Amino acid sequence: MIKVVKFGGSSVASATQFKKVKNIIESDKDRVFIVTSACGKSGDEDYKVTDLLYLCHAHIKYGVPYDDLFNMIYDKYMGIKKQLNLKIDLEKEFKIIRDLMGKDIGLDYLVSRGEYLTAKCLAEYINGQFIDASEVIAFNYNGKVNFEKSEQNLISKIKNGRRVVIPGFYGALPNGVIKVMSRGGSDISGSILANIVNADVYENWTDVSGLLIADPRIVKNPKTINYITYSELRELSYMGANVLHDEAIFPVSEKNIPINIRNTNKPEHPGTMILGDCSSQDAVDPPHFITGISGKKNFSVITINKPQISSEVGGLRKTLQVFEDFNISIESVPVGVDSFSVVVETEAIEKVVYEIIARLKKDLDCDNVTVLDKMALIAVVGRSMKNKPGMSGLLFGELGAHNINIRIINQAADEIDIIIGVENKDFEKTIRCIYDKFITRSDSL
Ligand code: ASP
């Protein structure tokens, strides 16, 4: 078995965390490919190394002294080295970075140093082989990963018999220049690696024991999701659940490699398994009707009212064209007989809302365009809802019984989720109600 294991910033935030990581790695001989984030926050007073590196670069750009910031990073790594008795020549590593900072250091190179240094320390600590991500993860100039090249790179670097430690978050362009991914990108690095080594599982170690059915800031002690499909996770993440980087699913789902979200601070907890298909697990352990609930506040609903608009050929296209011209992404388009509504994030239209209204009125030849703000969207996601008549009835009935007015309803034909829109003020109450009905009182269903 081959396991790719990725440790997030909080898992490598201090020497104590490094010790936990070492135990986790050494307790399973299959954990051979290790990817690490940069050291994260070890407490409220602490800082993420990547944040400090971004700040350093901003200081350089504006000609402001950055020594204090740089020293914070230096001290953090020196502390870890000392406590773990490492031999790594950090003085030399920091001198290389500092010298370049006085010249023309690239942003991507500088911010990638957190992962680079963390992986170097970890490799020595677990007696593994360090391989630089810039020598493995190959980007094309269009920013896409070249999987074939990355695989060849890795094969040419591996020496037999030792675990391999690779920094997350970055790779290199064909000319060797370092390129970083978006924030949280080490999740993607782990997933790319799992793809190229055909891993049996991609373990993603973080500081929570997997995905929770609902946001713990809203629902008290929500249960963990044991199994979830890639597509369910996509729906939940899109609406705000963020345990894993959005883009991390694709490299593994392409090869049907399971992702296991685990907690470095509670390694005995099995966490959440993310799979292409959960049917064999479901046969043994039937899941709740609802796998998870997530949501976001602050949407606006723009409604175009015009008699018989739905039978006007091209009406919907003209409406959508206006939003496209303003480069605004649309969440949902509820359609009525005499009206279309377009749901968008309020932030996206704030600066251009009057121009949009004017264009809609003109292009659709209609006077009645209204905007409703302070709306929240909630995704109720569950593979078990499929082909179960009465599910939406139960959901709407429950919300009605609690006096919650549903303003928008959206369900795609794959029936994997129902999206409802409520007013911002009802957001938390709605999520609690759904959790209570479908999880806490699920026996009564
Ligand atoms: N260190 C990077 C960040 O903070 C990447 C990562 O941790 O995944 O965004």
Side-chain angles (χ1 to χ4, degrees), residues 211-215 225 232-246 293-296:
L211 274 127
L212 299 172
I213 294 180
D215 186 336
I225 300 173
E232 285 177 307
L233 180 66
R234 289 277 305 145
E235 300 287 343
L236 283 176
S237 322
Y238 186 71
M239 273 299 165
N242 51 3
V243 174
L244 192 72
H245 193 297
D246 267 2
I293 315 159
S294 65
K296 286 197 260 184

Side-chain angles (χ1 to χ4, degrees), residues 6-10 36-40 48-51 53-54 111-112 114-115 168-170 180-189 245:
K6 179 254 164 180
F7 292 94
S10 57
T36 181
S37 282
C39 303
K48 287 178 77 165
V49 164
T50 312
D51 290 343
L53 288 166
Y54 273 105
V111 299
S112 71
E115 269 70 11
F169 188 40
Y170 70 99
V180 294
M181 301 167 188
S182 50
R183 294 299 307 264
S186 300
D187 283 344
I188 312 174
S189 307
H245 193 297

Side-chain angles (χ1 to χ4, degrees), residues 101-298:
M101 285 167 92
K103 295 175 193 151
D104 188 19
I105 195 164
L107 173 66
D108 285 31
Y109 172 81
L110 180 58
V111 299
S112 71
R113 296 305 84 189
E115 269 70 11
Y116 169 84
L117 291 169
T118 310
K120 280 223 132 175
C121 292
L122 185 61
E124 183 189 334
Y125 188 48
I126 65 159
N127 191 22
Q129 180 194 353
F130 169 83
I131 304 183
D132 196 343
S134 62
E135 296 178 335
V136 177
I137 307 292
F139 285 107
N140 294 325
Y141 284 115
N142 64 8
K144 296 241 167 6
V145 174
N146 182 335
F147 283 82
E148 248 169 67
K149 177 97 195 314
S150 305
E151 184 183 345
Q152 287 159 9
N153 287 346
L154 182 67
I155 293 170
S156 71
K157 295 276 162 207
I158 293 178
K159 297 192 195 97
N160 277 338
R162 281 161 83 202
R163 290 184 163 96
V164 167
V165 182
I166 301 182
F169 188 40
Y170 70 99
L173 293 166
N175 60 3
V177 169
I178 284 185
K179 174 180 159 47
V180 294
M181 301 167 188
S182 50
R183 294 299 307 264
S186 300
D187 283 344
I188 312 174
S189 307
S191 183
I192 295 170
L193 209 67
N195 174 302
I196 62 184
V197 302
N198 288 310
D200 294 280
V201 62
Y202 168 31
E203 290 182 349
N204 191 292
W205 290 80
T206 174
D207 53 5
V208 287
S209 300
L211 274 127
L212 299 172
I213 294 180
D215 186 336
R217 289 167 300 186
I218 299 173
V219 172
K220 217 169 148 206
N221 293 326
K223 289 190 189 173
T224 305
I225 300 173
N226 299 334
Y227 295 97
I228 183 169
T229 64
Y230 299 132
S231 18
E232 285 177 307
L233 180 66
R234 289 277 305 145
E235 300 287 343
L236 283 176
S237 322
Y238 186 71
M239 273 299 165
N242 51 3
V243 174
L244 192 72
H245 193 297
D246 267 2
E247 290 163 42
I249 292 189
F250 304 113
V252 280
S253 61
E254 197 182 287
K255 291 198 169 170
N256 216 359
I257 300 167
I259 309 173
N260 186 197
I261 309 280
R262 301 285 290 265
N263 189 347
T264 300
N265 305 313
K266 272 198 196 147
E268 63 293 345
H269 195 293
T272 299
M273 270 297 199
I274 307 163
L275 305 165
D277 174 13
C278 296
S279 45
S280 47
Q281 284 76 15
D282 292 351
V284 185
D285 177 15
H288 294 289
F289 282 135
I290 285 177
T291 307
I293 315 159
S294 65
K296 286 197 260 184
K297 284 184 179 173
N298 298 328

Side-chain angles (χ1 to χ4, degrees), residues 12-45:
V12 285
S14 63
T16 318
Q17 292 302 89
F18 266 70
K19 287 180 189 160
K20 293 182 190 169
V21 165
K22 184 178 161 101
N23 284 337
I24 291 167
I25 294 171
E26 289 179 350
S27 66
D28 186 341
K29 64 168 185 19
D30 298 331
R31 292 183 175 135
V32 278
F33 291 98
I34 325 293
V35 175
T36 181
S37 282
C39 303
K41 275 166 78 150
S42 61
D44 286 346
E45 304 291 286

Side-chain angles (χ1 to χ4, degrees), residues 5 13 20 39 43 77 114 120 131 150 155 166 219 280 290-291 300 309 320 325 331 334 337 345 352 378 384 399 444:
V5 282
K20 293 182 190 169
C39 303
Y77 284 98
K120 280 223 132 175
I131 304 183
S150 305
I155 293 170
I166 301 182
V219 172
S280 47
I290 285 177
T291 307
S300 295
I309 193 170
L320 300 182
D325 290 348
E331 299 298 323
V337 187
E345 287 194 32
V352 284
I378 295 168
S384 303
L399 299 185
S444 63

Side-chain angles (χ1 to χ4, degrees), residues 55-95:
L55 263 177
C56 279
H57 195 267
H59 280 57
I60 295 171
K61 196 167 150 200
Y62 295 108
V64 181
Y66 52 79
D67 287 335
D68 289 351
L69 288 172
F70 193 76
N71 289 340
M72 284 163 77
I73 304 171
Y74 175 85
D75 290 346
K76 181 144 185 149
Y77 284 98
M78 288 311 261
I80 290 174
K81 169 181 164 159
K82 192 164 167 242
Q83 289 178 56
L84 300 179
N85 273 323
L86 303 177
K87 292 193 191 61
I88 178 172
D89 191 349
L90 283 178
E91 298 284 352
K92 189 172 140 208
E93 296 286 358
F94 275 98
K95 185 169 180 322

Side-chain angles (χ1 to χ4, degrees), residues 328-343:
I328 286 162
S329 132
I330 295 172
E331 299 298 323
S332 154
V333 188
V335 178
V337 187
D338 294 326
S339 69
F340 290 148
S341 291
V342 177
V343 186

